[in-house]
């Protein structure tokens, strides 16, 4: 995690719904705008609900200091992973290729992927999270 310096694993969040958010920031101004809007939508939802964990994964080209500053300046308090060797992106590469940045992967508490989207509005993201959490309670 570029903000805390801690090593994390999705297993750390076993039993919780996870929003794995693949983003690229600091490399392209037009992508930065879309990514920033998506991150701020996620932030608003984390302020409203506590039934999911966002985890943002950044491509290796993103400068760590830029990411850390953006996270702290916007009070984005969730794991920010810098995938310098692309090992994480490689596991989800087909989704990132399909949707570009951002790509949102919805993971159930049982670690199954229940959906994948590109950038979505805050209401649409809220609906997707509702479905993810509802599926987890069945």
């Amino acid at each position: 995690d570029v903000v805390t310096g801690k090593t994390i694993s999705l297993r750390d969040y076993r039993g919780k719904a996870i929003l794995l958010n693949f983003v690229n920031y600091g490399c392209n101004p037009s992508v930065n705008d879309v990514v920033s809007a998506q991150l701020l939508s996620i932030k608003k939802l984390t302020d409203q609900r506590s039934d999911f964990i966002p985890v943002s994964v950044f491509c290796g080209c993103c400068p760590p200091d830029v990411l850390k500053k953006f996270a702290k300046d916007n009070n984005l308090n969730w794991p920010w992973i810098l995938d310098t060797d692309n090992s994480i992106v490689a596991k989800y590469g087909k989704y990132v290729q399909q949707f570009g940045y951002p790509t949102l992967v919805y993971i159930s508490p049982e670690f199954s992927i229940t959906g994948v989207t590109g950038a979505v509005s805050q209401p649409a993201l809220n609906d997707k999270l509702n479905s993810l959490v509802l599926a987890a309670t069945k």
Side-chain angles (χ1 to χ4, degrees), residues 112-123:
S112 63
I113 295 173
T114 63
V116 181
T117 65
V120 294
S121 67
Q122 184 178 335

Side-chain angles (χ1 to χ4, degrees), residues 4-130:
T4 65
K6 295 179 182 177
T7 299
I8 68 153
S9 168
L10 290 183
R11 288 183 197 91
D12 297 339
Y13 306 110
R14 183 172 299 283
K16 298 188 186 250
I18 300 168
L19 175 64
L20 194 55
N21 176 32
F22 288 90
V23 291
N24 181 339
Y25 191 82
C27 302
N28 180 319
S30 63
V31 172
N32 289 355
D33 292 343
V34 175
V35 166
S36 294
Q38 189 69 76
L39 289 169
L40 295 176
S41 289
I42 294 168
K43 166 66 173 134
K44 287 179 185 174
L45 289 175
T46 62
D47 290 344
Q48 298 169 5
R49 53 192 303 170
S50 60
D51 55 358
F52 78 102
I53 302 292
V55 176
S56 293
V57 178
F58 293 84
C59 72
C61 72
C62 301
D65 293 338
V66 170
L67 298 179
K68 188 173 186 175
K69 181 176 179 355
F70 184 82
K72 287 188 172 201
D73 288 352
N74 291 285
N75 201 27
L76 305 176
N77 299 318
W78 60 77
W80 285 53
I81 307 306
L82 183 58
D83 190 19
T84 54
D85 65 359
N86 289 314
S87 61
I88 301 168
V89 171
K91 292 178 183 177
Y92 298 89
K94 67 180 179 182
Y95 303 124
V96 175
Q97 286 179 342
Q98 180 179 356
F99 294 105
Y101 293 109
T103 293
L104 304 172
V105 179
Y106 306 89
I107 302 174
S108 75
E110 295 79 31
F111 290 128
S112 63
I113 295 173
T114 63
V116 181
T117 65
V120 294
S121 67
Q122 184 178 335
L125 179 57
N126 194 52
D127 289 346
K128 287 282 197 185
L129 290 171
N130 285 339

